[in-house]
């Protein structure tokens, strides 16, 4: 059935956001298509970075209703240590099903690392 997806984030500076996702998070740049820069987040997930259109106030504030959860190859604490050295700050929560380490991209879009128990 479904084997992947594309999440679109609206950002103020596409080039700066591409640098964050590629250099900080280690994603791979795929293409500039249809006005968005496309990144491969692995496992069939792609992230599109689209410039905020001037005059579109509803696109300037991050929406907390959507959080992209990223899985890691390393244990979550190791991944967090690497990303903290690259300037990422986390809000960590232990929940019944595992560990969630929330963080935001430079535009305030919500992401998290998740490691199940």
């Amino acid at each position: 059935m479904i084997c992947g997806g594309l999440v679109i984030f609206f950002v103020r500076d596409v080039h700066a956001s591409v640098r964050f996702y590629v250099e900080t998070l280690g994603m791979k740049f795929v293409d500039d298509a249809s006005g968005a820069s496309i990144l491969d987040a692995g496992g069939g997930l792609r992230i599109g970075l689209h410039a905020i259109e001037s005059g579109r106030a509803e696109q300037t504030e991050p929406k907390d209703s959507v959080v992209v959860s990223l899985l890691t190859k390393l244990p979550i604490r190791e991944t967090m240590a690497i990303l903290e050295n690259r300037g990422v700050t986390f809000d960590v929560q232990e929940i019944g099903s595992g560990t969630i380490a929330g963080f935001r991209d430079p535009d305030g879009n919500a992401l998290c690392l998740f490691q199940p128990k």
Side-chain angles (χ1 to χ4, degrees), residues 8-97:
I8 301 289
F9 284 135
F10 291 95
V11 298
R12 290 181 279 275
D13 183 336
V14 172
H15 298 295
S17 293
V18 167
R19 279 193 309 277
F20 173 78
Y21 283 87
V22 171
E23 295 174 9
T24 303
L25 300 183
M27 294 182 187
K28 293 182 179 152
F29 178 82
V30 175
D31 194 12
D32 283 320
S34 303
S37 290
I38 308 298
L39 306 165
D40 184 350
L45 175 63
R46 293 206 169 174
I47 294 178
L49 303 172
H50 195 285
I52 295 171
E53 298 173 21
S54 61
R56 297 282 309 263
E58 69 275 9
Q59 291 181 356
T60 60
E61 293 299 321
K63 306 290 188 264
D64 288 331
S65 61
V66 175
V67 177
V68 175
S69 183
L70 304 170
L71 304 176
T72 68
K73 294 179 181 178
L74 299 172
I76 193 168
R77 298 289 178 183
E78 288 181 39
T79 301
M80 287 173 57
I82 292 167
L83 296 179
E84 285 171 335
N85 284 332
R86 296 177 184 173
V88 176
T89 58
F90 292 95
D91 176 24
V92 180
Q93 298 177 24
E94 299 294 334
I95 59 173
S97 58

